[in-house]
Amino acid sequence: QVQLVESGGGLVQAGGSLRLSCAASGRTFSTDAMGWFRQAPGKERTFVALRHWNGANIYYADSVKGRFTISGDNAENTVYLQMNSLKPEDTAVYYCAASQHLTADPNMYDYWGQGTQVTVSS
């Protein structure tokens, strides 16, 4: 059992930045990867970024490469998503998730946070 809590969402102008945080607790020893996904109204949930729990490997969706950075703290109990050069199309609810597999497929993630709203205005 893993519990995930996101924070850091909000309203920002295009070109601005936000940093999302995901605090993990519980039986995190069984988690291999942490991922970030987003879902806009009326659209499917899509992959944003993922990171091995130990930080050994990191992957990004093409749409966010060069703008977003996924990282973790020294204890590996908190995962961050630094979002720079934000665009209106980045507007969505952002979710962090934990999986036993290194995958961008949201169906392979076992645990999800409650989500945090990110709104980018033009």
Side-chain angles (χ1 to χ4, degrees):
Q1 182 67 223
V2 177
Q3 295 80 45
L4 304 172
V5 179
E6 303 104 329
S7 62
L11 175 65
V12 65
Q13 292 182 318
S17 299
L18 285 173
R19 189 180 74 161
L20 306 183
S21 299
C22 177
S25 61
R27 300 179 181 179
T28 57
F29 62 85
S30 63
T31 298
D32 186 57
M34 296 290 296
W36 286 96
F37 298 81
R38 64 188 182 186
Q39 186 169 20
K43 297 184 178 180
E44 294 185 347
R45 190 169 300 184
T46 59
F47 168 73
V48 175
L50 68 85
R51 175 184 187 268
H52 274 158
W53 187 242
N54 63 10
N57 293 284
I58 294 172
Y59 302 91
Y60 298 97
D62 289 341
S63 59
V64 305
K65 286 181 179 178
R67 300 188 298 121
F68 291 11
T69 302
I70 188 170
S71 62
D73 68 9
N74 291 334
E76 306 288 356
N77 65 332
T78 302
V79 176
Y80 304 98
L81 185 69
Q82 178 66 46
M83 305 185 294
N84 298 325
S85 301
L86 283 163
K87 305 174 181 179
E89 52 262 44
D90 295 318
T91 295
V93 176
Y94 283 70
Y95 300 89
C96 68
S99 177
Q100 297 182 47
H101 308 279
L102 183 67
T103 177
D105 183 357
N107 295 317
M108 298 298 294
Y109 281 75
D110 304 301
Y111 303 99
W112 294 84
Q114 82 287 352
T116 185
Q117 177 70 47
V118 172
T119 303
V120 184
S121 64
S122 59

